[in-house]
Amino acid sequence: MKKTKLGEFEEFVLLTVALLEEEAYGVEIKRQLEDRLNHRLSVGSIQSALKRLEQKGFLTSRLGEVTPKRGGKRKRIYQLTSYAEKVLIELRTIRENMWNSLPGLSIQ
Amino acid sequence: MTNQEKYNPPRWPLSVLRWVIRPQFMEEIEGDMEETFLDDVERLGVRKARWYYAWNVMLLFRPALLRNFFRLQIPNPADMLANYLKTGWRNFKKYRTYSSINIFGLALGFTASLLLFLIINYENSFDRFHRDVENIYRVASQWSGGDISDMIVTPQVPLMVEEYTDIVAGTRFHGSEDMIAYDEKFVRSEFRIVDSTFASVFSFAEIQGSVSDALSSPGQIVLTESLAKNIFGSDDAMGKTLSLVNQDMDFIVRAVVEDPPQNSTIQFQALIPWSSAPEWLDIDQSGNWYNMFMTGYVRVTPGTDKAGLENHLDEFGQKYFLEDRKGKESIVLLPLIDEHFRISGNRRLLTILGIIAVAILLISCINFMNLSISQLLERTREIGVRKVMGGRPWQLISQFMTEGLIICTLAVIAGMATTYLLIPIVQQYFDFAIDINSMTSLSTTLFILAVCFGAAVMSSLWPAFVLSGLQSTRLLHGRFSWNKTGGFFRKGLIVLQYAASILLIIGTLVVWKQIQYMKTQDLNFDGSYVVGMEFFTELFKDPALAEKKMQTMKEELMREPAILSVSATNSVPGKYWHNYNSFSTPDSIEPREFSLRQLTVDDRFFETFEMEVIEGRDFDKDLDGDGSVAILNEAAVEKYGWTDLEDKFLRSGGGGELTRVIGVVKDYHYQSLSESIQPVIHFYHPEAGGQLAVRLHPENIQEGLKVLETKWNELDPFESFSYFFVDEEFDQLYKEHEKLGLTSTVFCMIAILLAGMGLFSLSAYSIRLRKKEIGVRKVLGASISSIIYSLSRGFSLLVVLAFLITCPVIYLLLNRFLDDFAFRISLSPWIFLMGGVFVFLVSIFIVGYQSARAATESPVYALKDE
């Protein structure tokens, strides 16, 4: 595997985007991650991760519909690129292989 | 949904957000933020949600989200710089004359101001080498009249150290001269008697031994390096025994220190401990509270409030001082860092030099600025092209700045080299001390950098702003008249420049006139043909024999045909040293007491100096014996308010005997005319000592000097005969003023040269702009003189304007300068007119010359192009 420059937080964000499918826009990603990580996040941290990921080619985005709660502003819906999917699966395989060869440390 | 109308995100965080976030992310992020905010409102309430919103805006400050404030597509800076350098060099070559004038002028101005800066720097460096120098003070006392007496009584300093915990250490410092004898060798030396704590007050660098150990017990001496070398050559001085001839004491060398640096007010060649002080000095150690002839220094704990300590010291005075000093004198502490200025009195001189430096720097910077602006205005097409190609204002500014910086750097390097070469000349001819090492000191470096960058920024910022703000089409067209943009500004600069040169010229004229005035005033005594020489027994190898011979010598000299009159005195005019005492009338009720300067003279003093005794009589050897008569000057008589001399007596402070006043001498100038004539009392003593004043026969001067030399050698002196003429010595008092005059003359010439150069190139430029106009005028039949007039008028008016606005400033400044002199000239309008007319003529000459050249040129050349 080549170096993918994917940070831990970025990986979480990618997974969240995959999870949310059509609902994958900033605030929803933030809510999801906050629930799962059990930790408050700022809009800035999510947004900068999204922009970075988009720039690195892990995400594509399109503008979504307007909701009144957003003061008339459109959402931006994110979607995983196939490259991202490949990288995520690759990461997972590597991890599983490693976990499997570590019998003593398996999850109880 | 009503929420939305009710609760809006807080306003200013929102505008911050809108300002900093990249426009393409704006909609999304603003929406996200608002959605989060409304969630928070439900969850936490409005107040908290608002705070939370603001906090989240802060967290948006991430590189990935921020608007790129410098997002321009910047070409490789190195390439751009190379381009700037290339165009800069081409322009430099194209306008060779201007560029050379520019660099030369700037280098000249820079050299002048750097030299002045170094001089000022040196004067400010005095005594700074002592550790914690700001805590060192000289002990003095101040009369309620305001006069400061910097001498102290013997027991004062040790007692002060003992009684005040704030005073950490103190030392007395009493100077004397003596011959040091070692192995048949006699060396004259200035030695100082100091307390053992000397080294805890001052920090002179030790080479061998320890100063405080050496001074801790009697019979030991500290030598300076040069004196040790002088006595012992290359031998080690430590542990050797030498003797002070007249003190008749032996000392062992226990320490050698570096020579006190030139910028130290405390100078010595040898130090001996107070415990070895001659008996007369320490006599009555605890009780000598009346005789003030030594200096004292103290070191206080850091952070001590000086004024507070002085208040406490007043109690000290009340407790210990003699009755007649109590309440009249208060103890004051003079900071050591100000001591040099206090003694030399040249703080005013430094201020003037500072003004000159700033004026010259200003003139040359303005030159530079004006010339750069002219040059840049010639290059409007280049600037236009640059702007069309996408050059940003800051890029234009940085281009001009680069060019300015290059020229400044060249000028600064040239100036530094010149300064380096000039320093020895300045030291020799102007008698200014400069430490050549200070060329590389931090403050000098900062000064150089400040000047370099300052000039570059000044010269490039203004044109850059003007030009970058203009429409590119206008620039490309080249139809751009500088008369409309910034003509006013540049004319203002010329006026400023001329104002500075006029100030320097008139100032210089006034300084010389004042010196001339002081030198030509009637001093009320005649010092020409009067020779002064040191004359006291310690100068001779056998003091006892010399004393015997000296008694008859005066009479022998009087018999010589080449000598008209001989007087022994402790002071001659022009070499007056301050010696005060207070004298009171013997009235039992309300005695009047004043501080008088005192002299002790013999019966031929007034005769030798041709001073006029206007009331009473001169001293007479037969009538006065050896006692208690005195002659006052007019100022003293006036002070006591006497109208006649009948039964007038004075008693000196400290309970001296009564002295009868027998005469009044016309006020004569015993010191420079910058000082007023203070009350003086002359005591009579047939063998007054210290100096011998001899009036020679005007036609027999050489012979008279030869006689004096023979007589001198008969007394078996340590050193060969030396003398001075009193009038010449008196003129030496104006040395400082002449130094100022000479300096300001030189720098004034530089200033005029610079201003002239500026005017020259600027008028050449503006005439070139009007070339066509001149051609058309000539074709239409204008006369040469009318063209010259129309070209020069504008510049001449500027000079006149500069003159008019500077006059009041000059008047005020010079009046303040002259107020320092007790005898001063008044500022006549003629001086102003002279300075003004001179500058006017110079500028007319410069502008007129160029106008004439332009006016006589055939109009064909002016009109042919285009």
Side-chain angles (χ1 to χ4, degrees):
Chain A
M1 178 192 158
K2 275 176 277 169
K3 220 175 142 193
T4 52
K5 293 184 199 162
L6 197 59
E8 178 205 37
F9 185 69
E10 287 173 338
E11 196 182 338
F12 283 142
V13 172
L14 279 186
L15 291 170
T16 318
V17 171
L19 196 79
L20 289 171
E21 292 173 358
E22 282 305 295
E23 275 300 292
Y25 74 97
V27 181
E28 199 51 49
I29 299 171
K30 179 169 154 310
R31 285 197 198 106
Q32 272 288 337
L33 267 179
E34 278 175 349
D35 284 351
R36 288 182 186 267
L37 299 180
N38 198 16
H39 170 58
R40 297 284 291 169
L41 295 167
S42 76
V43 175
S45 61
I46 299 286
Q47 282 291 349
S48 71
L50 287 171
K51 300 301 175 225
R52 272 201 310 273
L53 289 166
E54 195 172 0
Q55 218 192 347
K56 286 179 193 169
F58 292 108
L59 290 176
T60 54
S61 68
R62 65 187 151 81
L63 285 170
E65 84 280 19
V66 179
T67 60
K69 207 182 175 186
R70 295 173 60 83
K73 279 103 190 165
R74 283 174 295 176
K75 300 170 179 172
R76 184 171 282 277
I77 314 289
Y78 290 88
Q79 201 180 359
L80 254 57
T81 58
S82 53
Y83 169 59
E85 279 168 22
K86 206 183 92 198
V87 169
L88 283 174
I89 291 166
E90 218 175 314
L91 276 175
R92 184 182 166 177
T93 328
I94 294 170
R95 285 213 179 96
E96 273 171 0
N97 286 341
M98 291 178 95
W99 278 112
N100 291 339
S101 48
L102 258 182
L105 237 160
S106 60
I107 302 155
Q108 299 302 310
Chain B
M1 295 311 101
T2 47
N3 280 356
Q4 189 205 350
E5 272 109 82
K6 255 188 188 164
Y7 307 116
N8 288 323
R11 201 173 307 156
W12 72 260
L14 179 64
S15 45
V16 170
L17 181 151
R18 285 186 177 155
W19 187 56
V20 300
I21 296 300
R22 257 182 222 195
Q24 67 262 45
F25 302 157
M26 192 75 78
E27 184 174 1
E28 177 196 1
I29 293 179
E30 208 185 313
D32 278 10
M33 287 292 286
E34 199 163 333
E35 197 177 329
T36 316
F37 169 72
L38 291 174
D39 282 353
D40 287 345
V41 170
E42 276 166 34
R43 203 160 51 88
L44 306 162
V46 188
R47 268 183 66 87
K48 269 197 173 171
R50 289 223 159 116
W51 278 112
Y52 208 71
Y53 186 88
W55 173 239
N56 266 320
V57 168
M58 300 305 292
L59 294 178
L60 281 175
F61 278 75
R62 290 161 189 271
L65 305 179
L66 285 187
R67 179 203 289 270
N68 187 344
F69 291 97
F70 314 97
R71 195 175 31 87
L72 298 155
Q73 287 299 307
I74 304 165
N76 185 346
D79 288 347
M80 284 315 281
L81 192 66
N83 181 273
Y84 296 159
L85 289 179
K86 194 192 274 172
T87 42
W89 174 241
R90 283 180 189 155
N91 280 304
F92 184 87
K93 282 201 298 189
K94 193 166 164 196
Y95 307 101
R96 211 170 281 131
T97 330
Y98 295 124
S99 312
S100 325
I101 288 183
N102 220 348
I103 292 192
F104 176 72
L106 200 59
L108 187 62
F110 179 70
T111 310
S113 51
L114 180 61
L115 275 175
L116 290 171
F117 175 82
L118 289 174
I119 291 170
I120 295 170
N121 216 6
Y122 180 78
E123 294 290 318
N124 277 324
S125 74
F126 264 78
D127 294 318
R128 302 267 170 182
F129 59 91
H130 295 294
R131 114 193 89 80
D132 293 337
V133 68
E134 59 278 7
N135 296 324
I136 306 176
Y137 295 95
R138 177 167 176 173
V139 183
S141 50
Q142 185 163 28
W143 286 75
S144 37
D147 269 357
I148 285 195
S149 154
D150 52 15
M151 298 291 171
I152 53 162
V153 290
T154 321
Q156 190 174 340
V157 164
L159 211 56
M160 273 165 62
V161 178
E162 203 173 293
E163 297 213 347
Y164 291 90
T165 47
D166 275 345
I167 301 176
V168 192
T171 181
R172 290 166 286 185
F173 192 79
H174 178 64
S176 197
E177 250 180 52
D178 201 350
M179 303 302 294
I180 286 185
Y182 173 75
D183 194 21
E184 303 293 298
K185 200 170 170 184
F186 292 98
V187 178
R188 188 167 167 159
S189 80
E190 300 255 343
F191 71 90
R192 302 282 180 263
I193 307 166
V194 299
D195 281 301
S196 58
T197 44
F198 181 81
S200 15
V201 181
F202 301 115
S203 0
F204 291 100
E206 294 162 347
I207 296 176
Q208 281 178 295
S210 134
V211 175
S212 50
D213 287 352
L215 295 173
S216 61
S217 42
Q220 312 199 81
I221 193 167
V222 179
L223 299 183
T224 57
E225 198 183 1
S226 60
L227 184 64
K229 212 166 249 168
N230 215 341
I231 301 172
F232 301 105
S234 52
D235 295 348
D236 187 10
M238 293 291 280
K240 301 259 167 56
T241 305
L242 44 73
S243 54
L244 291 180
V245 177
N246 283 310
Q247 314 296 323
D248 199 16
M249 273 189 289
D250 286 347
F251 289 94
I252 304 169
V253 182
R254 282 290 180 224
V256 177
V257 293
E258 276 176 23
D259 289 9
Q262 270 196 354
N263 56 357
S264 166
T265 50
I266 292 151
Q267 294 290 341
F268 58 86
Q269 292 180 305
L271 298 172
I272 64 173
W274 203 268
S275 44
S276 292
E279 221 171 299
W280 60 266
L281 185 60
D282 225 13
I283 217 158
D284 206 2
Q285 160 82 265
S286 54
N288 187 353
W289 284 95
Y290 48 86
N291 218 339
M292 293 160 67
F293 57 88
M294 67 187 69
T295 52
Y297 300 88
V298 291
R299 171 185 286 282
V300 300
T301 42
T304 303
D305 169 31
K306 176 177 167 271
L309 183 57
E310 279 172 346
N311 280 339
H312 284 301
L313 285 170
D314 277 345
E315 292 158 21
F316 182 89
Q318 283 298 328
K319 193 165 152 197
Y320 293 106
F321 275 0
L322 292 183
E323 221 36 66
D324 61 339
R325 287 178 78 189
K326 277 182 190 168
K328 287 187 198 127
E329 272 180 77
S330 50
I331 300 175
V332 288
L333 300 174
L334 310 172
L336 187 64
I337 35 180
D338 293 338
E339 190 66 0
H340 171 64
F341 297 118
R342 195 182 66 85
I343 296 170
S344 64
N346 65 4
R347 182 158 265 168
R348 182 58 58 91
L349 172 74
L350 287 190
T351 316
I352 295 171
L353 292 186
I355 292 178
I356 296 178
V358 170
I360 286 188
L361 207 55
L362 194 71
I363 291 176
S364 58
C365 281
I366 289 177
N367 257 355
F368 181 50
M369 204 161 157
N370 258 334
L371 285 170
S372 313
I373 293 173
S374 320
Q375 268 197 42
L376 289 175
L377 292 173
E378 290 266 302
R379 290 162 56 186
T380 46
R381 282 215 175 84
E382 178 196 334
I383 295 158
V385 171
R386 280 185 192 274
K387 284 189 72 172
V388 168
M389 302 297 276
R392 293 269 154 183
W394 67 265
Q395 281 179 309
L396 287 178
I397 294 175
S398 68
Q399 181 195 350
F400 299 154
M401 206 99 92
T402 318
E403 284 175 22
L405 212 52
I406 289 168
I407 290 188
C408 284
T409 314
L410 287 178
V412 162
I413 291 170
M416 278 171 74
T418 323
T419 308
Y420 197 77
L421 295 176
L422 281 179
I423 284 179
I425 297 173
V426 173
Q427 283 170 330
Q428 207 176 331
Y429 293 102
F430 291 80
D431 194 29
F432 279 117
I434 297 179
D435 184 4
I436 207 152
N437 295 324
S438 67
M439 277 282 280
T440 50
S441 75
L442 179 69
S443 56
T444 316
T445 316
L446 286 178
F447 172 78
I448 290 169
L449 288 178
V451 169
C452 191
F453 279 100
V457 167
M458 262 168 64
S459 66
S460 47
L461 223 50
W462 186 81
F465 273 126
V466 170
L467 294 174
S468 61
L470 283 171
Q471 281 179 352
S472 312
T473 45
R474 277 187 66 198
L475 288 170
L476 284 170
H477 216 254
R479 289 269 163 76
F480 178 74
S481 94
W482 66 273
N483 285 322
K484 277 174 200 139
T485 47
F488 188 71
F489 178 68
R490 304 175 71 199
K491 280 177 189 156
L493 290 181
I494 295 191
V495 170
L496 197 60
Q497 203 173 23
Y498 268 84
S501 356
I502 291 170
L503 169 73
L504 291 185
I505 290 177
I506 296 178
T508 309
L509 283 174
V510 166
V511 170
W512 282 119
K513 275 206 95 163
Q514 172 67 23
I515 295 171
Q516 197 58 31
Y517 172 82
M518 291 194 292
K519 281 189 157 178
T520 50
Q521 276 308 91
D522 189 1
L523 301 171
N524 287 337
F525 75 87
D526 181 16
S528 47
Y529 312 117
V530 179
V531 162
M533 53 197 261
E534 284 188 311
F535 200 65
F536 46 91
T537 53
E538 284 82 3
L539 293 166
F540 307 103
K541 285 179 184 152
D542 186 345
L545 184 71
E547 195 177 353
K548 219 193 282 167
K549 281 191 178 171
M550 278 159 83
Q551 284 170 359
T552 54
M553 207 170 115
K554 268 202 302 186
E555 297 312 316
E556 283 168 37
L557 285 173
M558 284 297 284
R559 282 198 290 274
E560 294 286 338
I563 287 168
L564 295 179
S565 177
V566 181
S567 166
T569 164
N570 66 352
S571 175
V572 295
K575 282 207 148 192
Y576 176 79
W577 48 277
H578 289 261
N579 188 348
Y580 303 72
N581 205 342
S582 66
F583 293 90
S584 56
T585 55
D587 307 319
S588 44
I589 340 142
E590 272 191 69
R592 272 160 305 155
E593 185 174 5
F594 296 105
S595 159
L596 304 183
R597 275 128 234 259
Q598 46 184 352
L599 290 178
T600 308
V601 300
D602 71 358
D603 53 317
R604 289 214 188 83
F605 179 76
F606 299 110
E607 180 191 329
T608 306
F609 285 102
E610 294 184 358
M611 293 165 184
E612 196 185 338
V613 178
I614 50 172
E615 238 188 295
R617 60 173 176 86
D618 197 348
F619 294 129
D620 189 310
K621 198 162 59 173
D622 303 322
L623 288 175
D624 297 325
D626 56 354
S628 293
V629 286
I631 291 180
L632 303 185
N633 70 352
E634 288 173 287
V637 174
E638 198 181 320
K639 200 119 199 186
Y640 286 103
W642 291 337
T643 46
D644 60 85
L645 291 177
E646 220 171 299
D647 288 331
K648 293 295 185 276
F649 292 91
L650 287 176
R651 190 193 298 280
S652 63
E657 56 180 321
L658 274 184
T659 304
R660 176 191 274 276
V661 178
I662 59 160
V664 178
V665 65
K666 193 165 182 176
D667 276 345
Y668 65 92
H669 289 277
Y670 54 92
Q671 53 190 351
S672 114
L673 265 75
S674 60
E675 313 289 333
S676 57
I677 299 176
Q678 296 290 323
V680 180
I681 183 167
H682 305 78
F683 285 105
Y684 172 67
H685 193 278
E687 256 93 52
Q691 308 265 354
L692 207 59
V694 182
R695 175 171 289 279
L696 303 177
H697 197 286
E699 273 135 43
N700 268 333
I701 294 171
Q702 287 312 318
E703 198 182 317
L705 288 174
K706 209 166 280 169
V707 171
L708 285 175
E709 186 168 6
T710 327
K711 287 285 173 198
W712 173 264
N713 287 335
E714 273 174 25
L715 294 173
D716 195 13
F718 284 113
E719 287 179 343
S720 56
F721 176 59
S722 69
Y723 64 92
F724 57 90
F725 281 97
V726 172
D727 57 342
E728 286 170 9
E729 197 68 17
F730 202 89
D731 281 347
Q732 286 293 304
L733 297 176
Y734 303 121
K735 226 174 79 188
E736 282 289 311
H737 298 115
E738 284 180 335
K739 192 161 114 180
L740 171 64
L742 201 60
T743 318
S744 59
T745 309
V746 169
F747 286 106
C748 166
M749 271 149 59
I750 292 177
I752 294 170
L753 182 66
L754 284 172
M757 270 163 46
L759 192 63
F760 177 85
S761 43
L762 208 61
S763 56
Y765 172 76
S766 74
I767 285 171
R768 205 148 47 86
L769 284 184
R770 293 172 66 182
K771 218 169 150 188
K772 285 230 170 68
E773 179 199 326
I774 298 166
V776 172
R777 278 178 194 271
K778 280 196 80 174
V779 168
L780 293 177
S783 68
I784 290 179
S785 59
S786 74
I787 291 176
I788 295 180
Y789 170 74
S790 88
L791 288 176
S792 345
R793 191 186 48 195
F795 284 108
S796 314
L797 280 177
L798 293 184
V799 177
V800 173
L801 184 64
F803 177 70
L804 290 180
I805 56 174
T806 3
C807 274
V809 180
I810 300 178
Y811 183 80
L812 289 175
L813 277 177
L814 289 180
N815 247 340
R816 273 190 64 186
F817 168 74
L818 288 174
D819 278 344
D820 273 4
F821 298 90
F823 299 86
R824 51 161 280 188
I825 55 169
S826 56
L827 284 171
S828 77
W830 287 111
I831 304 178
F832 285 80
L833 225 51
M834 256 164 80
V837 166
F838 178 71
V839 173
F840 188 73
L841 286 180
V842 169
S843 56
I844 280 290
F845 175 75
I846 291 170
V847 179
Y849 165 74
Q850 302 205 61
S851 312
R853 236 177 49 171
T856 49
E857 206 184 46
S858 167
V860 174
Y861 299 111
L863 296 175
K864 71 166 186 203
D865 62 324
E866 211 175 303

